[in-house]
């Protein structure tokens, strides 16, 4: 145990002191004696003195305090759930707090000044309650809890994006908060935070004994007089309050609460008390180190890099590393698809084609005006505005549906889709990185960069997933890591405060608004060619679906076939992401719809899923244009809300079945 190893404790404390000292020396011209006098309360005389006393020193204190709180709550959550991948990030609490803060700033601005921490607390509690309800109390130790948190993150993120785009004039002041910035202009925020996190003292005093008893199991703890459920709720409530106050002060900083307890256990912390205290120290060091990296990068790039961005850049690969040790191939998710027909009706495909044609006609001729919905043959100007949008929506839906179908059959995972596995996120990450760090135009970066991002994620999935036979655990957690990386880049871009901020967030919502006629034609022709190719080689999917050994015995080169199919998936995702931005859940929802209609053969599933996905995107795009006229909601946001809700229903059905 770590408390029996004084040398380990001494080493950790020495590292803490060294890191804190290094943090203070960055861009600091003062001598050590001058720094010491200012720390002891000497009056500042020159600019360097003021910068040290009212910027660097409170920034260091904030990093130490917030890092400690994130480490403490991360350890608390992981011990309560007995799940080493539980944290404010993976439980959806960060996205809940973010959404609540946006709602308060936009709709209740009079409350924003004094009640931001309370709003963040309510949002975090709601998100976590939703996640636990979805996963079920029996599944808080496994992957369903993490997956539920990921879906809630996507769903809440889509709602938050829609609110920002519809009320951009009120949401500007939340951008810097979302980036996770430790910069301070005095001691005011430190003085605001310290009394609000004082409840952490209660956690340090009472939580170790309660957590120790909880390790005995529900019955063992009850036999020793502990009523588990009330204490679980109280501890979670206190922990979420501490996190809410911390991220209200500095913004969303991911991964510190996830990694600190894992590192503490790796260093030898075995008891509940030792893990809590060690996680606090490691959390402080981790946040100071990421802040040092942010400061150094800011000096090199002459851009203010938020600490939240560097925390995500370090934490995302670390999450993948720890997840390989924490979750096993046997860690399955209970998913119960809705009842499906025994076979595909002969009327199913003609009806889908008819509905799609009708929806195309509606998109072209029926629009919202001040007098309500009206039908009109579009003139040349209206036609030039409308047809690129509905052609793009149709092509994007077909592309993502085909990609989801191929993935689900290729890795034998009904949860596989480009967004859940992070393949679409890889394309988004590549385009966002080019925009943020190299100044590229996100609409002119080209599909090649996006294809490179998607391909890199696919390679990562293959390398990490092969060991565990492409278990859902590895796939989902890679998606979480990449999504968190993208979120950090997005918040960094928004925090810069330029006019491009709304352009970027509008693109990330998955909108057809800025699609050109050239882009629509290029996307539709490319998707049509790839889709026809996939239908022609559907026999490959049929053989692989029966098993790789079976396919090889029938003369199929499984490895080469898998590479070709996965490259097709990456290219489809890259084309869609480059043209209209990332779109979630279509690749999951459309293949399920096809199976429910009875399309169980590879060829028929591809065709029915493609038609279903195209129809879904067409409807989402038209609804987004009309429901809040004259304002518009991006098609990607509409389909994310619909698809996310569907996915949550699937998880709830699976939990009840279990």
């Amino acid at each position: 145990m770590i408390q029996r190893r004084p040398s380990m404790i001494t080493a950790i404390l020495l590292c803490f002191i060294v890191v804190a000292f290094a943090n203070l020396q960055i861009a600091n011209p003062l001598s050590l004696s001058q720094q010491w006098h200012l720390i002891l309360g000497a009056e500042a005389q020159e600019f360097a003195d003021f910068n040290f006393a009212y910027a660097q020193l409170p920034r260091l204190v904030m990093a130490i305090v917030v890092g400690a709180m994130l480490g403490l709550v991360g350890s608390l959550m992981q011990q309560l759930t007995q799940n080493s991948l539980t944290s404010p990030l993976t439980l959806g609490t960060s996205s809940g707090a973010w959404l609540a803060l946006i709602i308060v700033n936009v709709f209740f601005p009079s409350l924003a000044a004094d009640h931001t921490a309370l709003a963040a607390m309510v949002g975090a509690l709601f998100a976590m309650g939703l996640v636990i309800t979805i996963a079920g109390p029996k599944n808080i130790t496994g992957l369903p809890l993490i997956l539920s948190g990921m879906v809630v993150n996507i769903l809440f993120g889509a709602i938050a994006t829609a609110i920002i785009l519809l009320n951009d004039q009120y949401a500007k002041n939340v951008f810097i908060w979302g980036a996770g910035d430790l910069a301070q202009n005095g001691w005011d925020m430190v003085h605001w935070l310290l009394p609000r996190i004082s409840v952490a003292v209660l956690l340090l005093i009472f939580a170790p004994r309660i957590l120790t008893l909880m390790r005995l199991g529900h019955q063992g703890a009850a036999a020793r007089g502990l009523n588990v459920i009330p204490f679980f709720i109280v501890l979670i409530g206190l922990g979420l309050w501490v996190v809410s106050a911390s991220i209200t002060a500095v913004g969303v900083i991911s991964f510190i609460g996830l990694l600190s307890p894992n590192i503490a256990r790796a260093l030898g912390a075995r008891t509940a008390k030792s893990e809590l205290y060690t996680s606090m120290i490691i959390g402080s060091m981790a946040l100071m180190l990421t802040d040092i990296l942010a400061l150094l990068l800011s000096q090199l790039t002459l851009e203010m890099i938020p600490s939240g961005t560097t925390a995500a850049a370090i934490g995302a690969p670390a999450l993948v590393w720890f997840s390989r040790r924490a979750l096993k191939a046997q860690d399955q998710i209970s998913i119960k698809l809705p009842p499906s027909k025994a076979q595909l009706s002969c009327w199913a495909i003609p009806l889908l084609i008819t509905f799609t044609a009708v929806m195309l006609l509606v998109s072209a001729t029926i629009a919202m005006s001040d007098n309500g919905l009206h039908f009109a043959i579009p003139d040349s100007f209206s036609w030039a505005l409308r047809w690129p949008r509905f052609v793009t929506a149709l092509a994007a839906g077909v592309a993502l549906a085909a990609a989801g179908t191929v993935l689900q059959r290729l890795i034998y995972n009904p949860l596989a889709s480009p967004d859940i596995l992070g393949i679409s996120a890889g394309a988004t990450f590549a385009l966002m990185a080019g925009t943020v760090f190299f100044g590229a135009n996100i609409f002119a970066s080209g599909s090649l960069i996006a294809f490179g991002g998607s391909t890199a994620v696919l390679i990562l999935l293959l390398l990490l997933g092969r060991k565990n036979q492409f278990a859902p655990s590895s796939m989902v957690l890679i998606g979480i890591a990449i999504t968190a990386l993208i979120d950090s880049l997005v918040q960094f871009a928004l925090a810069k405060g330029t006019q491009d901020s709304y352009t970027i967030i509008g693109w990330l919502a998955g909108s057809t608004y800025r699609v050109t006629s050239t882009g629509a034609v290029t996307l539709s022709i490319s998707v049509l060619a790839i889709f026809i190719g996939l239908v022609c080689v559907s026999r490959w999917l049929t053989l692989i679906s029966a098993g790789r050994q079976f396919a090889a015995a029938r003369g199929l080169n499984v490895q080469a076939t898998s590479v070709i199919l996965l490259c097709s998936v990456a290219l489809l995702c890259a084309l869609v992401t480059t043209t209209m931005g990332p779109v979630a859940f279509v690749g999951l929802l459309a293949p399920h719809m096809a199976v429910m209609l009875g399309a169980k053969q590879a060829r028929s599933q591809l065709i029915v899923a493609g038609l279903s996905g195209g129809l879904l995107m067409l409807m989402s795009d038209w609804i987004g244009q009309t429901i809040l006229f004259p304002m518009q909601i991006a098609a990607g946001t509409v389909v994310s809300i619909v698809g996310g809700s569907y996915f949550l229903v699937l998880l709830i059905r699976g939990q009840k079945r279990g």
Side-chain angles (χ1 to χ4, degrees), residues 12-372:
I12 292 174
L13 292 176
L14 284 176
C15 288
F16 178 89
I17 295 171
V18 170
V19 171
F21 178 78
N23 186 285
L24 281 180
Q25 304 315 308
I26 297 177
N28 184 6
L30 300 178
S31 66
L32 292 179
S33 61
Q34 289 174 310
Q35 294 177 39
W36 184 246
H37 283 102
L38 288 168
I39 292 173
L40 293 178
E43 187 176 350
Q45 301 292 334
E46 300 179 356
F47 173 78
D49 299 339
F50 281 99
N51 182 64
F52 179 82
Y54 297 102
Q56 286 185 289
L57 203 56
R59 179 173 183 142
L60 173 64
V61 172
M62 191 65 81
I64 292 173
V65 172
V66 172
M69 294 302 99
L70 294 176
L72 171 66
V73 177
S75 176
L76 178 71
M77 286 183 170
Q78 291 184 15
Q79 292 191 63
L80 284 173
T81 61
Q82 294 297 300
N83 189 336
S84 61
L85 294 174
T86 303
S87 74
L89 167 69
T90 53
L91 281 183
T93 51
S94 295
S95 62
W98 165 243
L99 176 59
L101 191 74
I102 290 174
I103 291 173
V104 168
N105 275 268
V106 171
F107 300 111
F108 308 100
S110 61
L111 302 177
D114 301 319
H115 299 91
T116 49
L118 181 60
M121 169 73 170
V122 171
L125 278 174
F126 178 77
M128 184 171 180
L130 181 61
V131 168
I132 293 178
T133 301
I134 294 166
K138 296 181 180 179
N139 290 323
I140 62 173
T141 61
L143 182 62
L145 188 73
I146 308 303
L147 183 61
S148 301
M150 182 183 182
V151 178
V152 168
N153 276 330
I154 296 175
L155 185 59
F156 282 12
I159 297 172
T161 298
I163 294 174
I164 289 175
L165 290 174
L166 294 173
N167 304 274
D168 56 352
Q169 69 273 27
Y170 301 109
K172 291 180 180 179
N173 56 333
V174 300
F175 286 162
I176 295 177
W177 184 89
D181 192 10
L182 292 171
Q184 301 296 312
N185 293 316
W187 291 91
D188 291 345
M189 191 54 69
V190 176
H191 294 153
W192 178 92
L193 177 62
L194 289 178
R196 286 168 173 79
I197 61 171
S198 59
V199 296
V201 176
L202 299 176
L203 291 175
L204 292 173
I205 295 173
F206 298 107
R209 182 175 181 274
I210 297 171
L211 293 173
T212 301
L213 292 175
M214 285 185 174
R215 291 185 177 189
L216 301 175
H218 187 96
Q219 293 181 344
R224 286 161 177 78
L226 182 70
N227 196 342
V228 175
I229 300 299
F231 279 103
F232 181 93
I233 294 173
V234 169
L235 291 179
I236 283 291
L238 290 175
L240 288 181
W241 169 255
V242 169
V243 168
S244 300
S246 299
I247 62 179
T248 299
V250 300
V252 178
I253 296 179
S254 305
F255 292 107
I256 301 296
L258 175 66
L259 298 179
S260 298
N262 284 282
I263 297 173
R265 287 190 293 271
L267 292 175
R270 294 293 178 264
T271 66
K273 183 177 181 180
S274 63
E275 184 181 323
L276 285 174
Y277 283 75
T278 309
S279 295
M280 286 182 63
I281 300 173
I282 293 173
S284 292
M285 284 196 294
L287 191 51
M288 284 191 291
L289 284 170
T290 56
D291 192 42
I292 288 173
L293 180 59
L295 292 170
L296 293 175
L297 288 175
S298 298
Q299 290 183 352
L300 291 174
T301 61
L302 302 180
E303 289 268 7
M304 290 305 298
I305 308 294
S307 301
T309 302
T310 54
I314 296 172
L319 170 60
V320 176
W321 171 262
F322 277 113
S323 70
R324 297 186 70 194
R325 303 174 57 185
L327 294 177
K328 309 296 183 183
Q330 293 78 18
D331 191 359
Q332 299 295 326
I333 302 170
S334 178
I335 288 291
K336 182 181 180 181
L337 295 178
S340 60
K341 294 186 177 181
Q343 61 182 7
L344 183 66
S345 170
C346 61
W347 293 100
I349 293 178
L351 282 174
L352 282 172
I353 294 174
T354 302
F355 289 150
T356 303
V358 169
M359 200 63 229
L360 286 170
L361 182 63
V362 168
S363 299
T365 59
I366 298 180
M368 181 70 77
S369 67
D370 294 334
N371 298 321

Side-chain angles (χ1 to χ4, degrees), residues 517-533:
S517 56
T518 303
V521 171
T522 302
L523 176 66
S524 57
I525 292 176
S526 302
V527 169
L528 181 62
I530 297 172
F531 184 77
I532 291 174

